[in-house]
Amino acid sequence: MDRLQNQTEQNLKAIRGSFLDFVDDPFYVPEKESVRYLPDGLLVLENGKVKEFGPYDELQAKYGEVSTTVYTERLIMPGFIDIHIHYPQTGMIAAYGEQLLEWLEQYIFPTEEKFQDKVYAREVSDIFLDQLLSNGTTTALVLAAVFPQSVDAFFEAAEARNLCMIAGKVMMDRNAPESVCDTAESAYQETKALIQKWHKKGRLHYAVTPRFAITSTGEQLQKAGELLREFPDVYMHTHLSENVKEVEWVKTLFPDCEGYLDAYDQAGLVGERSVFAHGIHLTDSEFQRLSEAKSAIAFCPTSNLFLGSGLFKIEQAKSADYPVKVGLATDVGAGTSFSLLQTANEAYKVAQLRQQKLSPFKALFLATLGGAKALCLEDTLGSFDVGKDADFIVLNPQATKLMAFRNSTEFPRTLDELADRAFSLIMLGDDRAVQATYILGELAYGTP
Ligand code: GUN
Ligand code: ZN
């Protein structure tokens, strides 16, 4: 058997181009030690996984005859990871005028009621997943609605596309219309059945999802904790300290708790696979507790600005003394864009308002390997390390006329040049800058 025939039979293929990913956390090591940039690299794929990755010069002799797709003047990155988003809110994005609690009541609960209808839930799931892929997002931590069939519809749509997705049915048994409420017991039973049906089915994972402490009784939070003890490798996903009125209300609902986080902690919901969205108004001791528990915070800047919730203290979350895992998240429908580039853009501005700097590499770390770490998926996702799943995206820094003008100089060779190009992508880019999205090495959106 000659070598070409051998390689074809092994189902090998390759991508050649300029690659950017991270080998460490730029919040804790110098950026140049965390960034891996291959201006002319080769990514060799076998059965949807990374078989080899390195400079083209070094690998061409070995893989020169493998079928290769070449991208010139494009930046190839691991797929973006959105660690907090609500699929049922896709159709209610951009709802005018309210802050969190009124916004939920006026717009969101009536919208989520429609997801009782599984056919409708599947239609929206497909629209939602199209949006993720066209924005370069390949994995997300997703809230469904209260209805189990809304989870079935979502997972069926994700499975059909071979996506790595984490999702769960929201649990809510008070302070919301009856039509979108369950009970502590029905939430327990329905969640348990969904875990048994979907968790670790292919690339899918389940997240136990009490919506937030306002819409769950202490009894329901305890039931959520029971599920986590029964199924230790599922996730826990909820909201935390997003809005000042919300924080005050939680204190009156849980008078025996030390604070908002403690309401979750007393139910056993604060652990390594717990992801808390927002965390804007956390106390120092709450940050410390999240650090000690190895929990993650989803930084949702477009949502936090849209609902007037506040400015997330990323430098405190990423402090060396009490490091907390952080990922970027759109939080659609309170978030105003599906694009993690646009989300990074707003994250930069939030940092500016607090006299901080969020460098382009830090922002892109949060959108890739940082998100994977927040979701405990860094062994399979988030970078081009050998053996990881080949979910990646091709970004075009000249996607619009303005971007083409801004980036008309030669393609970056150095890290400084790359930082400038990456920053312009974050500030000016959105779905138009995503030329292609690959899932397990197969083109899932865009053009080769
Ligand atoms: N807190 C509880 N539910 C929600 C939600 O749907 N969106 C946001 N942004 N915050 C919440
Ligand atoms: Zn949310």
Side-chain angles (χ1 to χ4, degrees), residues 102-121:
E102 298 77 18
W103 172 83
L104 283 172
E105 228 177 82
Q106 190 170 325
Y107 298 113
I108 295 308
F109 294 146
T111 298
E112 293 193 4
E113 195 184 330
K114 297 189 226 162
F115 288 75
Q116 201 163 358
D117 176 352
K118 189 178 168 191
V119 173
Y120 180 69

Side-chain angles (χ1 to χ4, degrees), residues 245-350:
K245 279 193 343 195
E246 171 209 17
V247 176
E248 290 310 309
W249 194 4
V250 170
K251 285 181 188 162
T252 67
L253 291 171
F254 293 89
D256 297 336
C257 288
E258 269 173 43
Y260 196 158
L261 181 63
D262 196 42
Y264 295 137
D265 217 354
Q266 289 198 10
L269 303 184
V270 183
E272 197 165 353
R273 301 176 86 81
S274 303
V275 180
F276 297 94
H278 308 289
I280 298 169
H281 307 287
L282 294 172
T283 63
D284 293 352
S285 62
E286 287 175 323
F287 270 114
Q288 287 175 23
R289 173 67 189 124
L290 290 173
S291 173
E292 171 195 291
K294 300 190 169 70
S295 301
I297 299 177
F299 178 17
C300 313
T302 77
S303 166
N304 296 344
L305 296 171
F306 180 73
L307 291 180
S309 304
L311 306 175
F312 178 60
K313 298 173 193 155
I314 186 154
E315 76 289 355
Q316 185 167 6
K318 298 292 289 184
S319 79
D321 289 344
Y322 297 103
V324 180
K325 292 185 288 184
V326 176
L328 265 188
T330 61
D331 193 27
V332 164
T336 52
S337 169
F338 276 85
S339 169
L340 280 176
L341 293 172
Q342 278 304 291
T343 305
N345 170 333
E346 298 296 307
Y348 174 80
K349 295 170 189 167
V350 167

Side-chain angles (χ1 to χ4, degrees), residues 20-84:
L20 165 63
D21 73 343
F22 295 87
V23 295
D24 209 333
D25 186 335
F27 286 88
Y28 302 117
V29 305
E31 292 206 335
K32 61 179 186 314
E33 289 170 28
S34 70
V35 176
R36 174 164 53 183
Y37 180 48
L38 302 182
D40 184 14
L42 193 73
L43 181 69
V44 184
L45 310 173
E46 184 178 39
N47 299 324
K49 292 193 188 298
V50 178
K51 180 180 173 63
E52 209 154 342
F53 178 54
Y56 177 77
D57 277 355
E58 287 175 22
L59 295 180
Q60 65 151 338
K62 195 167 164 192
Y63 297 105
E65 287 160 61
V66 169
S67 161
T68 301
T69 305
V70 182
Y71 288 100
T72 41
E73 307 225 322
R74 301 291 181 263
L75 198 57
I76 306 172
M77 291 194 64
F80 291 144
I81 298 178
D82 185 341
I83 75 161
H84 176 79

